[in-house]
Amino acid sequence: VQLQASGGGLVQAGGSLNVSCAVSGRTFTIQRVGWFRQAPGKEREFVAHIGWSGGYTDFADSVKGRFAISRDNVKSTAYLQMSNLKPEDTAVYYCAIRYFGRDGYEKWGQGTLVTVSS
């Protein structure tokens, strides 16, 4: 499986931005797709995940009510819709794959930078 994240950019505080994660390869092996982020000088943190087949979702408390996650199995793409963005949301956003029967996220995309200006 290969991942390609895209859609990052510069946005003002309070604005919205969507990032995408195109998935290719053996997608039937995917249990869930997760989004993570890493801000400068900070550790990578979980943002949200979605079941690839079932659509169940979960969010970090810091983004609940502001971010949404979805996936399009026909396009093999997962999306993170971000709204009411804050400067503290500035980070490189990564998508990652968890496979069926495996623990943790094993395959990572290259990341896309989201910058929120105040």
Side-chain angles (χ1 to χ4, degrees):
V1 173
Q2 301 297 320
L3 306 174
Q4 180 71 44
S6 62
L10 175 64
V11 63
Q12 288 188 330
S16 299
L17 193 66
N18 298 331
V19 291
S20 302
C21 179
V23 182
S24 60
R26 302 174 66 187
T27 58
F28 63 90
T29 63
I30 300 171
Q31 181 189 45
R32 66 175 68 158
V33 175
W35 283 98
F36 295 77
R37 66 187 182 186
Q38 187 166 20
K42 295 187 177 182
E43 294 188 352
R44 186 168 57 196
E45 63 176 0
F46 167 77
V47 176
H49 72 223
I50 185 167
W52 190 247
S53 300
Y56 58 88
T57 61
D58 192 20
F59 296 88
D61 289 343
S62 59
V63 305
K64 281 181 180 177
R66 300 189 298 121
F67 289 14
I69 188 171
S70 61
R71 87 275 184 252
D72 184 328
N73 294 111
V74 174
K75 295 182 178 179
S76 291
T77 301
Y79 304 94
L80 185 69
Q81 296 103 20
M82 303 178 288
S83 61
N84 192 19
L85 283 161
K86 305 175 181 180
E88 51 263 42
D89 294 317
T90 294
V92 177
Y93 284 71
Y94 299 90
C95 57
I97 293 294
R98 176 172 173 169
Y99 296 104
F100 283 108
R102 306 288 283 267
D103 293 329
Y105 291 86
E106 296 185 25
K107 190 72 176 182
W108 295 79
Q110 85 285 6
T112 185
L113 177 62
V114 173
T115 303
V116 184
S117 63
S118 57

